[in-house]
Amino acid sequence: GQNIDQPTEMTATEGAIVQINCTYQTSGFNGLFWYQQHAGEAPTFLSYNVLDGLEEKGRFSSFLSRSKGYSYLLLKELQMKDSASYLCAVRSPETDKLIFGTGTRLQVFP
Amino acid sequence: GAVVSQHPSRVICKSGTSVKIECRSLDFQATTMFWYRQFPKKSLMLMATSNEGSKATYEQGVEKDKFLINHASLTLSTLTVTSAHPEDSSFYICSARSHEVAHNEQFFGPGTRLTVL
């Protein structure tokens, strides 16, 4: 079966660093995506990993370990506007579809 | 990035009526479009995948006669919720993908909030 797990909720303070973990057990793997979704809005693309290692993009970085079935999204210098849900999604090589995790709701406090 | 639009953004309808939601890729040709459903505070659930000019592929448990999908062109897909009932109330999101875009990335529309009274 397909299983993608993320913590349900996290809180952090403005200016801090937060790491959102994602573990997956899927029948295949063809890349992992991270999306940000504000309430009532569509998900927006943050990052893509297909090889092991760290991808950095400004305040956001994403890490992948395929052997461990593990990824994390790292958000630095947190801002209030970073309060949102963060969705981890794995792409299936057989179907090319995205399988979404449960999502992590992040609340940033002043 | 590429832009995907959805119309309407919000719709309220009476039980038993049908509702059509449009999804358009504005600046690229979408070879594949996906329709998702999202319940409050939950993740996205894939309902169906549609390729231009062919029948949609529905996920297990999704009624194809209930959720009619038409992908008439490379820039337009429609989802029609037929004989809607209150349990169909949800946030429906479409996404579009083009093989011309790096990583075969999917671009999401802004979503349509459907409320069935």
Side-chain angles (χ1 to χ4, degrees), chain A residues 6 9 33 35 37 39-45 48 87-88 91 95-103 105, chain B residues 34 36 38 41-44 46 49 57-59 91 93 97 99 103-111 113:
Chain A
Q6 303 176 235
E9 291 186 352
F33 293 80
Y35 287 88
Q37 186 181 26
E41 297 180 13
T44 53
F45 171 78
Y48 169 75
L87 308 175
C88 167
R91 185 159 61 198
T95 63
D96 231 14
K97 296 174 187 173
L98 289 182
I99 306 160
F100 280 88
T102 49
R105 275 195 312 281
Chain B
F34 303 88
Y36 295 86
Q38 188 176 34
K41 299 185 180 180
K42 300 289 184 185
S43 193
L44 279 74
L46 180 64
T49 304
T57 305
Y58 290 81
E59 296 298 301
F91 192 50
I93 303 176
R97 185 180 72 195
H99 293 295
H103 317 314
N104 279 349
E105 184 185 333
Q106 283 182 225
F107 299 95
F108 288 84
R113 173 121 0 241

Short mmCIF file of all heavy atoms in Angstrom, two decimals, chain A residues 6 9 33 35 37 39-45 48 87-88 91 95-103 105, chain B residues 34 36 38 41-44 46 49 57-59 91 93 97 99 103-111 113:
data_model
loop_
_atom_site.label_atom_id
_atom_site.label_comp_id
_atom_site.label_asym_id
_atom_site.label_seq_id
_atom_site.Cartn_x
_atom_site.Cartn_y
_atom_site.Cartn_z
N GLN A 6 3.11 12.57 7.99
CA GLN A 6 3.65 13.85 8.43
C GLN A 6 3.03 14.16 9.79
O GLN A 6 1.92 13.69 10.07
CB GLN A 6 3.24 14.99 7.50
CG GLN A 6 3.61 14.84 6.05
CD GLN A 6 3.06 16.00 5.23
OE1 GLN A 6 2.34 15.80 4.25
NE2 GLN A 6 3.39 17.22 5.61
N GLU A 9 0.28 18.71 13.31
CA GLU A 9 0.40 20.13 13.63
C GLU A 9 1.77 20.44 14.22
O GLU A 9 2.36 19.60 14.89
CB GLU A 9 -0.66 20.54 14.64
CG GLU A 9 -2.06 20.53 14.09
CD GLU A 9 -3.08 21.09 15.06
OE1 GLU A 9 -2.73 21.33 16.23
OE2 GLU A 9 -4.23 21.28 14.66
N PHE A 33 7.66 15.98 -3.72
CA PHE A 33 7.33 17.40 -3.81
C PHE A 33 6.88 17.91 -2.45
O PHE A 33 6.26 17.18 -1.67
CB PHE A 33 6.16 17.62 -4.78
CG PHE A 33 6.48 17.30 -6.22
CD1 PHE A 33 6.49 16.00 -6.68
CD2 PHE A 33 6.74 18.31 -7.13
CE1 PHE A 33 6.76 15.70 -8.01
CE2 PHE A 33 7.02 18.03 -8.46
CZ PHE A 33 7.03 16.72 -8.90
N TYR A 35 4.57 21.16 -1.01
CA TYR A 35 3.68 22.24 -1.37
C TYR A 35 3.27 22.99 -0.10
O TYR A 35 3.17 22.42 0.99
CB TYR A 35 2.40 21.72 -2.03
CG TYR A 35 2.58 21.21 -3.45
CD1 TYR A 35 2.95 19.89 -3.68
CD2 TYR A 35 2.39 22.05 -4.53
CE1 TYR A 35 3.11 19.43 -4.98
CE2 TYR A 35 2.55 21.59 -5.84
CZ TYR A 35 2.91 20.28 -6.04
OH TYR A 35 3.07 19.82 -7.33
N GLN A 37 0.12 25.31 1.43
CA GLN A 37 -1.28 25.62 1.17
C GLN A 37 -1.83 26.48 2.30
O GLN A 37 -1.90 26.04 3.45
CB GLN A 37 -2.10 24.34 1.03
CG GLN A 37 -3.55 24.62 0.63
CD GLN A 37 -4.39 23.36 0.51
OE1 GLN A 37 -4.11 22.36 1.15
NE2 GLN A 37 -5.43 23.42 -0.32
N ALA A 39 -5.08 28.37 4.03
CA ALA A 39 -6.47 27.93 4.19
C ALA A 39 -7.35 28.47 3.06
O ALA A 39 -7.35 29.66 2.76
CB ALA A 39 -7.01 28.39 5.53
N GLY A 40 -8.10 27.58 2.42
CA GLY A 40 -9.02 27.98 1.37
C GLY A 40 -8.37 28.31 0.05
O GLY A 40 -9.03 28.82 -0.86
N GLU A 41 -7.07 28.03 -0.06
CA GLU A 41 -6.38 28.33 -1.31
C GLU A 41 -5.75 27.07 -1.90
O GLU A 41 -5.70 26.02 -1.25
CB GLU A 41 -5.29 29.38 -1.07
CG GLU A 41 -5.85 30.71 -0.59
CD GLU A 41 -4.76 31.74 -0.36
OE1 GLU A 41 -3.61 31.52 -0.79
OE2 GLU A 41 -5.07 32.78 0.26
N ALA A 42 -5.28 27.17 -3.11
CA ALA A 42 -4.65 26.02 -3.76
C ALA A 42 -3.22 25.83 -3.25
O ALA A 42 -2.58 26.78 -2.81
CB ALA A 42 -4.63 26.22 -5.26
N PRO A 43 -2.73 24.61 -3.32
CA PRO A 43 -1.32 24.38 -2.96
C PRO A 43 -0.38 25.09 -3.94
O PRO A 43 -0.66 25.15 -5.13
CB PRO A 43 -1.16 22.87 -3.09
CG PRO A 43 -2.54 22.32 -3.06
CD PRO A 43 -3.41 23.38 -3.67
N THR A 44 0.72 25.60 -3.42
CA THR A 44 1.74 26.19 -4.29
C THR A 44 3.03 25.42 -4.12
O THR A 44 3.39 25.02 -3.01
CB THR A 44 1.97 27.68 -3.98
OG1 THR A 44 2.26 27.83 -2.59
CG2 THR A 44 0.75 28.50 -4.32
N PHE A 45 3.74 25.24 -5.21
CA PHE A 45 4.94 24.44 -5.25
C PHE A 45 6.06 25.09 -4.46
O PHE A 45 6.32 26.28 -4.57
CB PHE A 45 5.37 24.28 -6.71
CG PHE A 45 6.72 23.66 -6.91
CD1 PHE A 45 6.89 22.30 -6.79
CD2 PHE A 45 7.82 24.44 -7.23
CE1 PHE A 45 8.14 21.72 -6.98
CE2 PHE A 45 9.06 23.88 -7.43
CZ PHE A 45 9.24 22.52 -7.31
N TYR A 48 11.26 20.27 -5.00
CA TYR A 48 11.22 18.95 -5.63
C TYR A 48 12.56 18.25 -5.38
O TYR A 48 13.62 18.84 -5.59
CB TYR A 48 10.99 19.10 -7.13
CG TYR A 48 11.17 17.86 -7.95
CD1 TYR A 48 10.21 16.86 -7.94
CD2 TYR A 48 12.30 17.69 -8.77
CE1 TYR A 48 10.36 15.72 -8.71
CE2 TYR A 48 12.45 16.55 -9.54
CZ TYR A 48 11.48 15.57 -9.51
OH TYR A 48 11.63 14.44 -10.28
N LEU A 87 2.34 20.27 2.55
CA LEU A 87 1.99 18.95 2.04
C LEU A 87 3.20 18.30 1.38
O LEU A 87 3.86 18.90 0.53
CB LEU A 87 0.87 19.07 0.99
CG LEU A 87 -0.38 19.85 1.41
CD1 LEU A 87 -1.32 19.98 0.23
CD2 LEU A 87 -1.08 19.17 2.56
N CYS A 88 3.44 17.07 1.77
CA CYS A 88 4.49 16.26 1.16
C CYS A 88 3.79 15.34 0.16
O CYS A 88 2.73 14.78 0.47
CB CYS A 88 5.17 15.47 2.28
SG CYS A 88 6.24 14.12 1.78
N ARG A 91 5.62 11.06 -6.07
CA ARG A 91 5.10 10.72 -7.39
C ARG A 91 5.35 9.25 -7.68
O ARG A 91 6.47 8.75 -7.50
CB ARG A 91 5.75 11.58 -8.47
CG ARG A 91 5.16 11.35 -9.86
CD ARG A 91 5.42 12.48 -10.79
NE ARG A 91 6.83 12.70 -10.99
CZ ARG A 91 7.35 13.83 -11.47
NH1 ARG A 91 6.57 14.83 -11.79
NH2 ARG A 91 8.65 13.95 -11.64
N THR A 95 2.20 5.35 -12.36
CA THR A 95 1.04 6.13 -12.80
C THR A 95 1.36 7.60 -13.03
O THR A 95 0.57 8.32 -13.62
CB THR A 95 -0.09 6.07 -11.76
OG1 THR A 95 0.38 6.67 -10.54
CG2 THR A 95 -0.49 4.62 -11.49
N ASP A 96 2.51 8.04 -12.54
CA ASP A 96 2.91 9.45 -12.62
C ASP A 96 2.01 10.34 -11.77
O ASP A 96 2.03 11.57 -11.91
CB ASP A 96 2.89 9.94 -14.07
CG ASP A 96 4.20 10.63 -14.43
OD1 ASP A 96 5.17 10.48 -13.67
OD2 ASP A 96 4.24 11.33 -15.45
N LYS A 97 1.22 9.75 -10.89
CA LYS A 97 0.33 10.55 -10.04
C LYS A 97 1.04 10.94 -8.77
O LYS A 97 1.96 10.25 -8.31
CB LYS A 97 -0.91 9.74 -9.68
CG LYS A 97 -1.78 9.37 -10.85
CD LYS A 97 -2.91 8.45 -10.39
CE LYS A 97 -3.68 7.92 -11.58
NZ LYS A 97 -4.67 6.90 -11.17
N LEU A 98 0.57 12.05 -8.16
CA LEU A 98 1.08 12.47 -6.87
C LEU A 98 0.24 11.85 -5.76
O LEU A 98 -0.99 11.90 -5.81
CB LEU A 98 1.01 14.00 -6.74
CG LEU A 98 1.98 14.81 -7.58
CD1 LEU A 98 1.80 16.30 -7.29
CD2 LEU A 98 3.42 14.42 -7.29
N ILE A 99 0.92 11.29 -4.80
CA ILE A 99 0.24 10.75 -3.62
C ILE A 99 0.57 11.70 -2.48
O ILE A 99 1.74 11.87 -2.12
CB ILE A 99 0.73 9.33 -3.30
CG1 ILE A 99 0.59 8.43 -4.53
CG2 ILE A 99 -0.05 8.75 -2.13
CD1 ILE A 99 1.47 7.22 -4.47
N PHE A 100 -0.47 12.30 -1.92
CA PHE A 100 -0.24 13.32 -0.90
C PHE A 100 -0.23 12.73 0.50
O PHE A 100 -0.99 11.81 0.82
CB PHE A 100 -1.33 14.40 -0.98
CG PHE A 100 -1.08 15.39 -2.07
CD1 PHE A 100 -1.55 15.15 -3.35
CD2 PHE A 100 -0.36 16.54 -1.83
CE1 PHE A 100 -1.31 16.06 -4.37
CE2 PHE A 100 -0.11 17.46 -2.84
CZ PHE A 100 -0.59 17.21 -4.11
N GLY A 101 0.61 13.30 1.34
CA GLY A 101 0.59 12.99 2.76
C GLY A 101 -0.56 13.71 3.42
O GLY A 101 -1.33 14.44 2.78
N THR A 102 -0.65 13.53 4.71
CA THR A 102 -1.75 14.08 5.48
C THR A 102 -1.65 15.59 5.65
O THR A 102 -2.63 16.23 5.98
CB THR A 102 -1.80 13.42 6.86
OG1 THR A 102 -0.48 13.46 7.42
CG2 THR A 102 -2.25 11.96 6.73
N GLY A 103 -0.46 16.14 5.43
CA GLY A 103 -0.28 17.58 5.59
C GLY A 103 0.05 17.95 7.03
O GLY A 103 -0.40 17.31 7.97
N ARG A 105 -0.02 21.23 9.61
CA ARG A 105 -0.45 22.62 9.82
C ARG A 105 0.56 23.30 10.73
O ARG A 105 0.74 22.90 11.87
CB ARG A 105 -1.84 22.66 10.45
CG ARG A 105 -2.97 22.58 9.44
CD ARG A 105 -4.31 22.98 10.01
NE ARG A 105 -4.61 22.34 11.28
CZ ARG A 105 -5.04 21.09 11.41
NH1 ARG A 105 -5.19 20.34 10.36
NH2 ARG A 105 -5.32 20.61 12.60
N PHE B 34 -5.78 16.83 -13.33
CA PHE B 34 -6.18 16.02 -12.19
C PHE B 34 -7.26 16.76 -11.41
O PHE B 34 -7.22 17.97 -11.28
CB PHE B 34 -4.99 15.78 -11.25
CG PHE B 34 -3.81 15.13 -11.91
CD1 PHE B 34 -2.84 15.90 -12.53
CD2 PHE B 34 -3.65 13.75 -11.88
CE1 PHE B 34 -1.73 15.30 -13.13
CE2 PHE B 34 -2.55 13.15 -12.47
CZ PHE B 34 -1.60 13.93 -13.10
N TYR B 36 -9.00 16.89 -7.61
CA TYR B 36 -8.86 16.49 -6.21
C TYR B 36 -10.05 17.02 -5.41
O TYR B 36 -10.69 18.01 -5.77
CB TYR B 36 -7.59 17.09 -5.59
CG TYR B 36 -6.29 16.59 -6.18
CD1 TYR B 36 -5.75 17.19 -7.32
CD2 TYR B 36 -5.59 15.55 -5.59
CE1 TYR B 36 -4.54 16.75 -7.85
CE2 TYR B 36 -4.38 15.11 -6.12
CZ TYR B 36 -3.87 15.72 -7.24
OH TYR B 36 -2.69 15.28 -7.78
N GLN B 38 -10.91 17.97 -1.26
CA GLN B 38 -10.26 18.19 0.02
C GLN B 38 -11.30 18.54 1.07
O GLN B 38 -12.07 19.50 0.92
CB GLN B 38 -9.22 19.30 -0.09
CG GLN B 38 -8.37 19.48 1.16
CD GLN B 38 -7.28 20.52 0.99
OE1 GLN B 38 -7.47 21.51 0.30
NE2 GLN B 38 -6.13 20.29 1.62
N LYS B 41 -9.31 20.62 6.83
CA LYS B 41 -8.14 20.21 7.59
C LYS B 41 -7.62 18.83 7.18
O LYS B 41 -6.95 18.16 7.96
CB LYS B 41 -8.44 20.23 9.10
CG LYS B 41 -8.81 21.62 9.60
CD LYS B 41 -8.97 21.65 11.11
CE LYS B 41 -9.34 23.06 11.55
NZ LYS B 41 -9.51 23.15 13.01
N LYS B 42 -7.93 18.42 5.99
CA LYS B 42 -7.44 17.14 5.48
C LYS B 42 -6.61 17.38 4.23
O LYS B 42 -6.61 18.47 3.66
CB LYS B 42 -8.62 16.23 5.12
CG LYS B 42 -9.52 15.89 6.28
CD LYS B 42 -8.86 14.96 7.25
CE LYS B 42 -9.82 14.56 8.36
NZ LYS B 42 -9.14 13.73 9.39
N SER B 43 -5.90 16.34 3.83
CA SER B 43 -5.07 16.48 2.64
C SER B 43 -5.89 16.27 1.37
O SER B 43 -7.09 16.03 1.42
CB SER B 43 -3.92 15.48 2.71
OG SER B 43 -2.95 15.80 1.73
N LEU B 44 -5.22 16.38 0.24
CA LEU B 44 -5.89 16.25 -1.04
C LEU B 44 -6.13 14.79 -1.39
O LEU B 44 -5.23 13.96 -1.25
CB LEU B 44 -5.05 16.89 -2.15
CG LEU B 44 -5.13 18.39 -2.30
CD1 LEU B 44 -4.36 19.07 -1.19
CD2 LEU B 44 -4.59 18.83 -3.66
N LEU B 46 -7.09 12.42 -4.51
CA LEU B 46 -7.23 12.38 -5.96
C LEU B 46 -8.53 11.67 -6.32
O LEU B 46 -8.81 10.58 -5.84
CB LEU B 46 -6.04 11.65 -6.59
CG LEU B 46 -6.05 11.54 -8.11
CD1 LEU B 46 -5.96 12.91 -8.76
CD2 LEU B 46 -4.90 10.65 -8.59
N THR B 49 -8.10 11.33 -13.05
CA THR B 49 -7.07 11.86 -13.95
C THR B 49 -7.65 11.91 -15.35
O THR B 49 -8.27 10.93 -15.80
CB THR B 49 -5.84 10.93 -13.96
OG1 THR B 49 -5.37 10.75 -12.62
CG2 THR B 49 -4.73 11.50 -14.82
N THR B 57 -9.74 8.63 -15.94
CA THR B 57 -9.49 7.46 -15.10
C THR B 57 -9.83 7.82 -13.68
O THR B 57 -9.25 8.75 -13.12
CB THR B 57 -8.01 7.04 -15.18
OG1 THR B 57 -7.65 6.85 -16.54
CG2 THR B 57 -7.79 5.75 -14.41
N TYR B 58 -10.77 7.09 -13.10
CA TYR B 58 -11.24 7.42 -11.76
C TYR B 58 -10.52 6.56 -10.71
O TYR B 58 -10.22 5.40 -10.94
CB TYR B 58 -12.75 7.18 -11.66
CG TYR B 58 -13.56 8.18 -12.46
CD1 TYR B 58 -13.73 8.04 -13.83
CD2 TYR B 58 -14.14 9.29 -11.83
CE1 TYR B 58 -14.45 8.97 -14.57
CE2 TYR B 58 -14.86 10.22 -12.55
CZ TYR B 58 -15.01 10.05 -13.92
OH TYR B 58 -15.72 10.98 -14.63
N GLU B 59 -10.31 7.17 -9.54
CA GLU B 59 -9.73 6.44 -8.43
C GLU B 59 -10.79 5.53 -7.82
O GLU B 59 -12.00 5.75 -7.98
CB GLU B 59 -9.18 7.40 -7.38
CG GLU B 59 -8.02 8.24 -7.89
CD GLU B 59 -6.83 7.43 -8.32
OE1 GLU B 59 -6.29 6.68 -7.47
OE2 GLU B 59 -6.43 7.54 -9.49
N PHE B 91 -14.17 21.10 -0.97
CA PHE B 91 -13.29 21.99 -1.74
C PHE B 91 -12.72 21.15 -2.87
O PHE B 91 -12.09 20.12 -2.62
CB PHE B 91 -12.18 22.50 -0.80
CG PHE B 91 -11.36 23.65 -1.33
CD1 PHE B 91 -11.97 24.78 -1.85
CD2 PHE B 91 -9.97 23.61 -1.27
CE1 PHE B 91 -11.21 25.85 -2.32
CE2 PHE B 91 -9.21 24.67 -1.74
CZ PHE B 91 -9.83 25.79 -2.26
N ILE B 93 -10.31 20.88 -6.14
CA ILE B 93 -9.12 21.53 -6.71
C ILE B 93 -8.68 20.76 -7.95
O ILE B 93 -8.60 19.53 -7.93
CB ILE B 93 -7.95 21.54 -5.71
CG1 ILE B 93 -8.34 22.22 -4.41
CG2 ILE B 93 -6.73 22.25 -6.31
CD1 ILE B 93 -7.24 22.18 -3.36
N ARG B 97 -0.86 19.48 -15.76
CA ARG B 97 0.54 19.12 -15.94
C ARG B 97 0.87 19.13 -17.42
O ARG B 97 0.05 18.75 -18.26
CB ARG B 97 0.80 17.73 -15.37
CG ARG B 97 2.24 17.29 -15.39
CD ARG B 97 2.39 15.91 -14.80
NE ARG B 97 1.85 14.89 -15.69
CZ ARG B 97 1.59 13.64 -15.31
NH1 ARG B 97 1.83 13.28 -14.07
NH2 ARG B 97 1.11 12.78 -16.18
N HIS B 99 4.17 18.03 -20.05
CA HIS B 99 5.48 17.38 -20.15
C HIS B 99 6.56 18.37 -20.58
O HIS B 99 7.75 18.05 -20.53
CB HIS B 99 5.41 16.21 -21.13
CG HIS B 99 4.56 15.09 -20.63
ND1 HIS B 99 4.88 14.37 -19.52
CD2 HIS B 99 3.38 14.60 -21.07
CE1 HIS B 99 3.93 13.45 -19.31
NE2 HIS B 99 3.02 13.58 -20.22
N HIS B 103 10.39 18.68 -14.35
CA HIS B 103 9.93 17.74 -13.31
C HIS B 103 8.49 17.30 -13.53
O HIS B 103 7.90 16.69 -12.65
CB HIS B 103 10.01 18.35 -11.91
CG HIS B 103 11.25 19.11 -11.62
ND1 HIS B 103 12.50 18.64 -11.92
CD2 HIS B 103 11.42 20.32 -11.06
CE1 HIS B 103 13.39 19.54 -11.56
NE2 HIS B 103 12.79 20.55 -11.03
N ASN B 104 7.91 17.57 -14.72
CA ASN B 104 6.48 17.27 -14.92
C ASN B 104 5.66 17.84 -13.78
O ASN B 104 4.73 17.21 -13.27
CB ASN B 104 6.26 15.75 -14.98
CG ASN B 104 6.58 15.20 -16.35
OD1 ASN B 104 6.77 15.95 -17.29
ND2 ASN B 104 6.64 13.90 -16.44
N GLU B 105 6.02 19.03 -13.37
CA GLU B 105 5.37 19.64 -12.21
C GLU B 105 3.89 19.85 -12.45
O GLU B 105 3.47 20.15 -13.57
CB GLU B 105 6.03 20.98 -11.91
CG GLU B 105 5.53 21.68 -10.67
CD GLU B 105 6.14 23.05 -10.50
OE1 GLU B 105 7.27 23.25 -10.99
OE2 GLU B 105 5.48 23.92 -9.91
N GLN B 106 3.11 19.69 -11.39
CA GLN B 106 1.69 19.96 -11.45
C GLN B 106 1.42 21.35 -10.92
O GLN B 106 1.96 21.72 -9.88
CB GLN B 106 0.90 18.96 -10.59
CG GLN B 106 0.74 17.60 -11.22
CD GLN B 106 -0.08 16.67 -10.35
OE1 GLN B 106 0.27 15.53 -10.15
NE2 GLN B 106 -1.18 17.15 -9.83
N PHE B 107 0.58 22.08 -11.61
CA PHE B 107 0.18 23.42 -11.16
C PHE B 107 -1.29 23.35 -10.75
O PHE B 107 -2.12 22.82 -11.48
CB PHE B 107 0.38 24.43 -12.29
CG PHE B 107 1.82 24.54 -12.72
CD1 PHE B 107 2.29 23.79 -13.79
CD2 PHE B 107 2.71 25.35 -12.03
CE1 PHE B 107 3.63 23.86 -14.17
CE2 PHE B 107 4.04 25.44 -12.41
CZ PHE B 107 4.50 24.69 -13.48
N PHE B 108 -1.55 23.92 -9.60
CA PHE B 108 -2.88 23.80 -9.02
C PHE B 108 -3.72 25.04 -9.28
O PHE B 108 -3.22 26.16 -9.27
CB PHE B 108 -2.79 23.56 -7.51
CG PHE B 108 -2.31 22.18 -7.17
CD1 PHE B 108 -0.96 21.89 -7.14
CD2 PHE B 108 -3.23 21.16 -6.90
CE1 PHE B 108 -0.52 20.60 -6.85
CE2 PHE B 108 -2.79 19.89 -6.60
CZ PHE B 108 -1.43 19.60 -6.58
N GLY B 109 -5.02 24.80 -9.47
CA GLY B 109 -5.95 25.90 -9.56
C GLY B 109 -6.28 26.40 -8.17
O GLY B 109 -5.92 25.78 -7.17
N PRO B 110 -7.01 27.53 -8.07
CA PRO B 110 -7.32 28.13 -6.78
C PRO B 110 -8.42 27.41 -6.01
O PRO B 110 -8.69 27.75 -4.87
CB PRO B 110 -7.75 29.56 -7.14
CG PRO B 110 -8.24 29.44 -8.53
CD PRO B 110 -7.46 28.35 -9.19
N GLY B 111 -9.04 26.43 -6.62
CA GLY B 111 -10.05 25.66 -5.91
C GLY B 111 -11.45 26.23 -6.06
O GLY B 111 -11.65 27.41 -6.34
N ARG B 113 -15.09 26.06 -3.87
CA ARG B 113 -15.78 25.61 -2.66
C ARG B 113 -17.23 25.37 -3.02
O ARG B 113 -17.95 26.29 -3.39
CB ARG B 113 -15.69 26.69 -1.57
CG ARG B 113 -16.53 26.34 -0.38
CD ARG B 113 -15.88 26.20 0.97
NE ARG B 113 -14.48 26.40 1.12
CZ ARG B 113 -13.69 25.43 1.55
NH1 ARG B 113 -14.16 24.24 1.80
NH2 ARG B 113 -12.41 25.66 1.73
#
